[in-house]
Amino acid sequence: MINRASQVLQTVVLAGVLGAFLWGSMASAADRPLLMDGKESLFERVLVRDSTAMFDAPDGRGSGQLRPLQPLYVYAESGDWLRVARGDKGDDLFWVPANTVTPWRQNIVATLQTSANLDRTLFFSDYDAIYDVVESEAPGLSAQTLRQEAEAAETANGDSERIVALGPRDAVNLRDNLYVMPILETEEAIFENGSFVNLLKVAVARAQPDDAPIDNDPVADVTPEEAQGAFRAGVVFVVDTTISMEPFIRRTQAALEEVYDGVRRTGAQEAVSFGLIGFRDNLQAAPGLGYDVQTFVDLNAGFDASAFLNGITRMTEAGASSRNFREDSYAGIEHALQAMDWSPFGAKFIVLVTDASPREANDGYSKTRLSAKGLGTLVRENINGAIAVMHLRTPQGPNDHDRAEAAYRELTRQPNVPPLYFPIENGDRDEYQARARQLGQIVADQVNRFRGGQDPRDFSDDDDTIDEDTKAFRAAGRTMQLEYLGRSRGSEAPDVFEAVVADRDFARPGLKPLSIRLLLTKAELSNLDEALRIIIEKAEENVINPDDFFGQVLGAAADMSRRPDKVSRRSDPTLAEAVNVSEFIEDLPYKSRIMAITEADWVRMSISEQQTVVNELYEKIERYRRYNAATDQWVDYLGAGASAGGLVYPMMLDDLP
């Protein structure tokens, strides 16, 4: 059966030159963990079922306590006992009863994906219960009936026969309180309409349950009601200030003047701030532009209308031409991400205004070296924000419009929400001003309603809206409100140990209630980076002689692997088999589109196709560099201590190369 999920996640394992070296360093032969049945490189691991003591021997003396769902490596079995350790180096071994743990075959986990467009996640008691819904004529209706029954049981403090738990009403904050669901087993199913769905048997775990509130957290030490009343929104306009943009700068000024007037009339001046950044292009491409990126108003000052208007008055278009029609708009967005203080805000929007396509990762003048997808992911992961693009499709750039639209739709994608892409046909100035005013007013209105107690799942403000783009923008705002409520209320994943969930919404299979992630240590991320650089190096060395590329990758794999004897010697291995990672990925429900590349496949690829792969790897390296620097997103899920070596990053599978 074809795994359609692979077409969505496309988990590429070209970086597998590390083999087992990446997924778990090898201990000495005497003290290394046991191998999984049927595997030659994957170690046996288990999860603690319930809090249990550590024993010095089978039926021996117990000491200390292991937290539920603590991952452990298995070193030996003796009857009903297992000899285990937290790590794979053979250190600090102890014993646990076998009935207190359950097998965990992969370092892959699921997290709950928050969206105002999704109902509460259903956690089923077993596969039979979830198959009854999947195989019904109307899965959405069947799921809703079960959800209503489960909510009624929840209200009455009772139990539901088939639903063991419901996802939280709000959101579990992934940064402050990493809840993950280790995936224990998977099955693939198909809905009546032909859509594929993965059914995941998961456990539920929480990292850092006793962490202190994060500094500068606006919802720390206040009641949920007080937190909702203190909700604030930050919106940063990132405006193209190259030649021809002066009329749109002035229209932005006029639009925001109206929005500020509306905010002042509602008395919510302290609740909404507008920042302003101007961007042009890389100065190496056009030194006469004056600046590449510049902050005109930061979010600390942007609560004050006069401060914003003074800032935009100083913003003017460039006096010199750019190198070509493309501009480095991604540099402006990354500047907004890094230069602004987003911590006081619950809603965080970056609004790009431009008439030009961006410089993509493979453009020599790209300052960020990131793709649209990579930059969008960084904004979501680092600040939990959203990007909207107002694309001025002016008559001067007809040959650029399609390229720009494709990039900006990808850039503005949000989970379970249409892209926040707003085309302004013919660069109509009146339409642009109206749109800019509308987006600013939507944010202000949502803040006022939410501070007044409105439920984020109240869609009544969409009743008079037929514009799908505007509905998407409103949905993104409501999703941020749910996440803010989750922090203020301390929302947690349901208190269950094992359950079965679907990775697709039952009513709308295009929506995904789960985010699939891989827990990577600092060392593993560094090794992954090193592997990509070697692959890139070998590919670029053999552009003229592609026949030599695969052999050199195999050689590099053998050099890097701690078990070079396991590197494939088959006559025509896939990349995964060549570097001994096929064992790791073959049991996952999410497959790579590149893992099956063979030497013959590579040789048949054109130079441009090979270069596309290389460019993708370059862009991944840029992402990894930023992930490594995001210190607040590394957590001690593995229970190994707060040192850098014990922290993990919950990386989305899409971020693998």
Side-chain angles (χ1 to χ4, degrees):
M1 180 179 293
I2 299 174
N3 191 325
R4 298 297 176 85
S6 65
Q7 299 172 6
V8 178
L9 295 179
Q10 295 188 342
T11 313
V12 182
V13 291
L14 187 57
V17 296
L18 292 170
F21 175 71
L22 173 61
W23 307 113
S25 57
M26 295 296 178
S28 67
D31 294 322
R32 70 176 190 173
L34 300 177
L35 292 171
M36 292 183 187
D37 289 342
K39 305 294 184 181
E40 296 182 346
S41 62
L42 292 184
F43 293 142
E44 186 176 336
R45 288 184 303 170
V46 294
L47 294 170
V48 177
R49 284 184 174 274
D50 296 300
S51 181
T52 186
M54 299 175 286
F55 295 84
D56 59 1
D59 297 317
R61 183 181 57 187
S63 64
Q65 286 293 119
L66 296 169
R67 62 177 172 82
L69 300 181
Q70 166 75 58
L72 301 170
Y73 287 87
V74 179
Y75 286 78
E77 300 178 7
S78 178
D80 295 331
W81 290 81
L82 300 177
R83 195 180 190 208
V84 297
R86 292 183 176 89
D88 59 3
K89 307 282 191 197
D91 301 328
D92 301 322
L93 297 170
F94 55 92
W95 292 84
V96 295
N99 62 3
T100 64
V101 297
T102 190
W104 184 28
R105 295 181 62 82
Q106 305 292 351
N107 210 33
I108 187 174
V109 299
T111 60
L112 297 171
Q113 184 68 66
T114 303
S115 175
N117 291 335
L118 288 171
D119 292 316
R120 298 175 68 184
T121 304
L122 294 173
F123 288 81
F124 289 80
S125 57
D126 53 35
Y127 282 110
D128 288 341
I130 198 170
Y131 269 111
D132 286 343
V133 176
V134 170
E135 296 175 347
S136 67
E137 293 184 1
L141 181 60
S142 299
Q144 187 58 25
T145 299
L146 287 177
R147 187 175 291 109
Q148 291 170 352
E149 293 176 358
E151 287 179 336
E154 181 182 67
T155 301
N157 293 319
D159 295 322
S160 173
E161 181 179 351
R162 289 174 289 180
I163 304 300
V164 296
L166 288 164
R169 296 181 184 277
D170 307 317
V172 177
N173 188 275
L174 196 60
R175 293 157 190 79
D176 302 349
N177 187 14
L178 176 62
Y179 266 89
V180 297
M181 296 177 284
I183 298 174
L184 308 177
E185 299 174 5
T186 65
E187 291 190 15
E188 190 178 63
I190 185 170
F191 288 119
E192 181 71 20
N193 66 3
S195 299
F196 283 75
V197 57
N198 286 297
L199 309 181
L200 314 176
K201 185 176 183 181
V202 299
V204 181
R206 176 162 61 110
Q208 303 171 311
D210 299 320
D211 276 0
I214 292 178
D215 291 341
N216 301 320
D217 188 342
V219 298
D221 301 323
V222 298
T223 68
E225 292 73 20
E226 290 172 332
Q228 188 164 348
F231 183 80
R232 295 195 286 181
V235 184
V236 175
F237 276 79
V238 178
V239 181
D240 186 339
T241 60
T242 55
I243 284 180
S244 78
M245 287 298 294
E246 184 69 25
F248 298 100
I249 296 172
R250 302 284 72 87
R251 292 302 184 106
T252 304
Q253 179 177 346
L256 269 295
E257 279 188 283
E258 295 183 64
V259 174
Y260 272 112
D261 284 342
V263 170
R264 185 172 54 253
R265 286 194 299 271
T266 63
Q269 296 95 318
E270 81 286 359
V272 183
S273 175
F274 292 95
L276 182 65
I277 289 172
F279 76 91
R280 290 174 179 171
D281 199 10
N282 192 321
L283 295 182
Q284 293 181 343
L289 289 177
Y291 65 82
D292 50 5
V293 179
Q294 182 174 324
T295 299
F296 288 85
V297 184
D298 66 31
L299 285 172
N300 292 325
F303 292 102
D304 184 350
S306 61
F308 182 90
L309 297 175
N310 287 337
I312 200 168
T313 298
R314 293 184 289 105
M315 177 183 277
T316 59
E317 70 175 29
S321 297
S322 302
R323 182 182 182 89
N324 51 35
F325 204 81
R326 291 192 295 278
E327 311 289 355
D328 198 6
S329 57
Y330 291 174
I333 293 172
E334 186 170 48
H335 185 73
L337 177 64
Q338 296 177 343
M340 296 291 177
D341 179 10
W342 294 97
S343 60
F345 302 99
K348 306 162 190 176
F349 286 99
I350 297 173
V351 180
L352 175 67
V353 180
T354 184
D355 64 350
S357 62
R359 295 199 181 278
E360 288 286 356
N362 60 348
D363 189 311
Y365 293 110
S366 168
K367 193 174 180 179
T368 66
R369 299 294 184 184
L370 290 169
S371 66
K373 185 175 183 179
L375 182 56
T377 298
L378 282 176
V379 170
R380 291 194 302 274
E381 295 286 293
N382 288 9
I383 66 169
N384 209 23
I387 305 170
V389 173
M390 303 186 71
H391 178 205
L392 310 170
R393 300 172 66 94
T394 61
Q396 291 76 24
N399 296 330
D400 185 69
H401 292 339
D402 289 348
R403 178 171 59 242
E405 178 175 350
Y408 292 138
R409 284 190 178 277
E410 184 63 47
L411 175 70
T412 61
R413 290 188 188 281
Q414 290 283 109
N416 304 307
V417 174
L420 306 183
Y421 171 78
F422 298 86
I424 309 298
E425 296 302 333
N426 299 314
D428 186 283
R429 298 173 188 178
D430 290 338
E431 182 185 351
Y432 165 70
Q433 181 176 334
R435 276 292 198 181
R437 181 180 64 247
Q438 180 189 44
L439 296 189
Q441 196 60 54
I442 286 173
V443 174
D445 289 345
Q446 284 193 327
V447 169
N448 281 330
R449 290 192 179 103
F450 184 65
R451 285 163 67 98
Q454 184 183 53
D455 189 324
R457 296 189 184 276
D458 180 355
F459 284 71
S460 59
D461 56 342
D462 279 350
D463 291 345
D464 59 351
T465 303
I466 60 173
D467 185 336
E468 293 301 319
D469 296 334
T470 303
K471 285 185 177 180
F473 191 80
R474 284 176 169 165
R478 284 190 290 263
T479 297
M480 294 180 197
Q481 292 172 358
L482 286 172
E483 291 164 340
Y484 181 87
L485 282 179
R487 290 167 59 199
S488 65
R489 295 173 178 172
S491 294
E492 301 178 350
D495 185 20
V496 299
F497 176 67
E498 292 181 4
V500 181
V501 294
D503 72 347
R504 297 283 174 169
D505 184 72
F506 293 106
R508 295 154 295 176
L511 303 184
K512 296 182 287 187
L514 304 176
S515 173
I516 309 302
R517 297 172 180 265
L518 190 69
L519 300 179
L520 286 180
T521 66
K522 287 266 186 178
E524 289 167 347
L525 187 64
S526 175
N527 290 337
L528 181 56
D529 177 273
E530 182 181 358
L532 300 196
R533 292 181 188 278
I534 286 180
I535 294 171
I536 290 170
E537 177 186 348
K538 299 306 178 185
E540 292 183 338
E541 285 178 359
N542 294 283
V543 172
I544 306 301
N545 301 304
D547 290 0
D548 296 337
F549 164 74
F550 216 88
Q552 291 189 22
V553 169
L554 285 169
D559 289 342
M560 292 180 66
S561 176
R562 299 196 181 185
R563 299 181 69 195
D565 58 302
K566 293 300 181 182
V567 174
S568 178
R569 295 292 183 264
R570 293 176 56 177
S571 59
D572 191 25
T574 65
L575 278 173
E577 292 168 338
V579 293
N580 199 36
V581 297
S582 57
E583 288 190 348
F584 178 82
I585 60 178
E586 64 190 5
D587 295 329
L588 300 181
Y590 305 97
K591 306 303 181 183
S592 163
R593 62 180 173 85
I594 290 180
M595 70 173 185
I597 289 179
T598 65
E599 182 174 11
D601 295 331
W602 181 262
V603 171
R604 282 195 296 267
M605 293 168 68
S606 67
I607 291 178
S608 64
E609 290 172 330
Q610 294 170 356
Q611 190 60 46
T612 296
V613 173
V614 171
N615 289 340
E616 180 183 342
L617 299 186
Y618 268 124
E619 197 267 346
K620 299 295 185 183
I621 287 174
E622 283 296 325
R623 292 198 209 182
Y624 300 159
R625 182 173 67 83
R626 288 162 173 80
Y627 293 159
N628 185 62
T631 56
D632 62 327
Q633 295 181 52
W634 290 82
V635 297
D636 182 25
Y637 169 69
L638 298 177
S643 65
L647 303 179
V648 296
Y649 184 88
M651 192 169 77
M652 297 178 65
L653 285 187
D654 280 355
D655 287 331
L656 287 173

